[in-house]
């Protein structure tokens, strides 16, 4: 009998206590939630180590996870004031991400769940970002529009139910976060790019006309044109020896990048007659974007559900939140579960 089958008759709890574990990139994270209440969220990051190399070095990330995983879980339990025997399930990111990094969290989660005799739940990282909204608003129920903007994905989705969604539009090339990271590199800003572009943009004016129109119709995105425009602008100025304001470039880039996200999300909400837009992913931590989205929603009678900034970037509370969705669907997995480097957006949950 497979491990998951042990739980086929499990009496589901209304507000189970779920341990979430996340190790897909450079954050080793563990969190405990009870229902939709966050009891703790611990994030041990190797970002400062990675910054020396200008990006994430997979081997350094895997080693950092190995060093940090036990401490992260212990701290998450201690801060939640929950003993491990009180846990009802363990939810873990099985993909997408760096394979070696994922395997650290996954192996830990498998042995932890097995030792405690509780179900193991496999979470798609990106579904975790989308589920962070359920923690931000515990009363939130589908249907609603989801605006997803992370380092790897940019999409507008119609979330029909807790487990089904329709992709209305997605990026045809770079993701929004990737565009922020590339713009940061051109501007000579250190890793991680997004927050540093935001900081510099605060000192600048939106005075440069970067392309606001993106190729393709509907709700699709394309960030490569904007990225090229930023690169060309800076290089041309430098070749001609003309002075230019890096802060103005940052502010103008940010306005164009965020304008596309806000415009498409609001248009999709109107078309689908949805009164709620729930956002998720690292780029949603951007203060300028949050303000613009909140204002645009306010003008259209739409409610914006924005997770706190620390729950937009990688964390384990969002993994536990999606874990709760899968727990209610009795979607438990066997211990043979493997990590997955790529998971297409829209793939059904792991069985
Ligand atoms: O969701 P996330 O933490 O990881 C992925 O699953 O990809 O997103 C990381 C991305 C990076 O590209 C980072 O530059 C971007 O989110 N990001 C931001 C901000 N904070 C993180 N972009 C713009 N402004 C920010 N404040
Ligand atoms: Zn992420």
């Amino acid at each position: 009998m497979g491990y998951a089958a042990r739980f086929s008759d499990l009496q589901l709890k209304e507000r189970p206590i779920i341990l979430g574990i996340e190790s897909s990139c450079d954050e080793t994270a563990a969190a405990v939630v009870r229902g939709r209440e966050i009891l703790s969220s611990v994030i041990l990051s190797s970002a400062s180590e990675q910054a020396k190399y200008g990006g994430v070095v997979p081997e350094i990330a895997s080693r950092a996870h190995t060093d940090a995983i036990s401490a992260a879980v212990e701290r998450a339990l201690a801060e939640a004031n929950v003993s491990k025997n009180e846990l009802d399930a363990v939810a873990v990111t099985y993909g997408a991400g760096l394979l070696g990094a994922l395997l650290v969290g996954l192996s830990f989660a498998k042995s932890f769940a097995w030792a405690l005799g509780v179900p193991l739940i496999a979470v798609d990282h990106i579904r975790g970002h989308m589920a962070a909204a359920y923690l931000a608003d515990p009363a939130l129920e589908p249907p609603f529009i989801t605006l997803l903007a992370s380092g790897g994905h940019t999409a507008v989705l119609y979330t029909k139910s807790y487990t089904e969604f329709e992709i209305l539009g997605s990026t045809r090339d770079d993701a929004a976060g990737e565009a922020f990271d590339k713009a940061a590199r051109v501007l000579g800003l250190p890793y991680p790019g997004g927050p540093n572009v935001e900081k510099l943009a605060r000192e600048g004016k939106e005075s440069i006309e970067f392309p606001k129109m993106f190729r393709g119709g509907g709700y699709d995105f394309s960030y490569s044109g904007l990225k090229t425009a930023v690169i060309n602008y800076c290089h041309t100025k430098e070749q001609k020896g003309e002075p230019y304001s890096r802060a103005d470039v940052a502010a103008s880039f940010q306005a164009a990048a965020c304008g596309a996200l806000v415009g498409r999300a609001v248009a999709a909400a109107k078309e689908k007659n949805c009164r709620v837009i729930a956002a998720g992913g690292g780029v949603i931590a951007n203060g300028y974007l949050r303000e613009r989205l909140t204002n645009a929603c306010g003008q259209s009678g739409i409610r914006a559900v924005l997770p706190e900034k620390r729950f937009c970037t990688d964390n384990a509370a969002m993994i536990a939140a999606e874990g709760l969705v899968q727990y209610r669907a009795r979607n438990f997995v066997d211990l043979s579960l493997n990590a997955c480097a790529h998971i297409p957006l829209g793939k059904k949950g792991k069985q």
Side-chain angles (χ1 to χ4, degrees):
M1 181 168 78
Y3 190 67
R6 276 206 214 173
F7 305 102
S8 50
D9 296 328
L10 184 77
Q11 188 81 31
L12 295 187
K13 291 191 184 166
E14 187 56 35
R15 296 173 73 229
I17 302 181
I18 299 180
L19 170 70
I21 295 180
E22 153 66 35
S23 70
S24 65
C25 192
D26 59 349
E27 265 97 23
T28 316
V32 179
V33 302
R34 185 195 293 124
R36 289 187 181 183
E37 182 194 355
I38 303 165
L39 301 183
S40 67
S41 175
V42 172
I43 301 171
L44 303 177
S45 175
S46 63
S48 56
E49 181 75 6
Q50 310 283 1
K52 291 183 211 156
Y53 304 93
V56 180
V57 180
E59 187 60 20
I60 294 177
S62 305
R63 287 177 196 207
H65 288 310
T66 309
D67 286 342
I69 187 82
S70 297
V73 171
E74 262 174 43
R75 260 184 57 191
L77 290 167
E79 285 177 20
N81 206 8
V82 159
S83 95
K84 53 183 182 299
N85 296 319
E86 291 174 89
L87 293 174
D88 294 302
V90 176
V92 62
T93 307
Y94 77 99
L98 303 169
L99 211 63
L102 287 163
L103 283 171
V104 178
L106 190 57
S107 307
F108 189 98
K110 282 185 194 177
S111 34
F112 212 65
W114 179 80
L116 297 173
V118 298
L120 177 69
I121 299 168
V123 173
D124 173 353
H125 180 85
I126 220 67
R127 299 275 280 267
H129 276 301
M130 291 162 62
Y134 294 128
L135 301 174
D137 175 4
L140 179 65
E141 279 179 36
F144 51 82
I145 293 294
T146 297
L147 172 63
L148 175 65
S150 72
H153 288 90
T154 303
V156 173
L157 306 106
Y158 177 54
T159 299
K160 288 187 213 167
S161 72
Y162 286 104
T163 53
E164 288 171 297
F165 53 86
E166 184 189 328
I167 303 168
L168 301 177
S170 61
T171 186
R172 296 181 169 206
D173 39 58
D174 297 350
E178 211 177 336
F180 265 93
D181 294 335
K182 286 178 180 166
R185 202 163 289 182
V186 179
L187 292 169
L189 298 169
Y191 172 87
N196 286 318
V197 171
E198 180 183 357
K199 213 160 123 196
L200 181 61
R202 275 188 226 123
E203 295 158 27
K205 296 183 295 298
E206 293 169 28
S207 55
I208 307 160
E209 271 299 314
F210 289 131
K212 289 200 172 62
M213 293 306 297
F214 293 82
R215 271 190 288 118
Y219 300 109
D220 276 355
F221 297 87
S222 167
Y223 278 104
S224 76
L226 176 60
K227 173 192 69 184
T228 309
V230 171
I231 294 173
N232 285 346
Y233 179 89
C234 296
H235 286 179
T236 307
K237 290 284 182 194
E238 279 155 24
Q239 272 163 7
K240 289 186 182 166
E242 288 174 10
Y244 69 97
S245 158
R246 285 164 63 256
D248 288 356
V249 173
S252 307
F253 160 79
Q254 182 173 257
C258 297
L261 295 169
V262 173
R264 278 158 183 66
V266 171
K270 286 182 181 163
E271 190 199 307
K272 288 285 184 187
N273 217 1
C274 276
R275 309 274 26 114
V276 177
I277 294 176
V283 180
I284 307 296
N286 184 287
Y288 171 89
L289 172 60
R290 295 169 79 88
E291 198 181 317
R292 234 177 120 164
L293 185 60
T294 307
N295 290 343
C297 284
Q299 281 165 16
S300 304
I302 297 167
R303 194 163 63 86
V305 178
L306 303 176
E308 264 179 61
K309 293 183 183 186
R310 66 195 169 115
F311 299 122
C312 289
T313 45
D314 288 348
N315 67 89
M318 68 181 198
I319 302 303
E322 176 60 16
L324 175 65
V325 169
Q326 301 300 330
Y327 172 93
R328 290 190 170 147
R330 290 188 171 276
N331 197 5
F332 306 135
V333 293
D334 285 329
L335 298 176
S336 55
L337 171 73
N338 207 348
C340 215
H342 301 285
I343 303 174
L345 190 62
K347 188 172 178 286
K348 287 237 183 290
K350 193 96 186 167
Q351 294 283 351

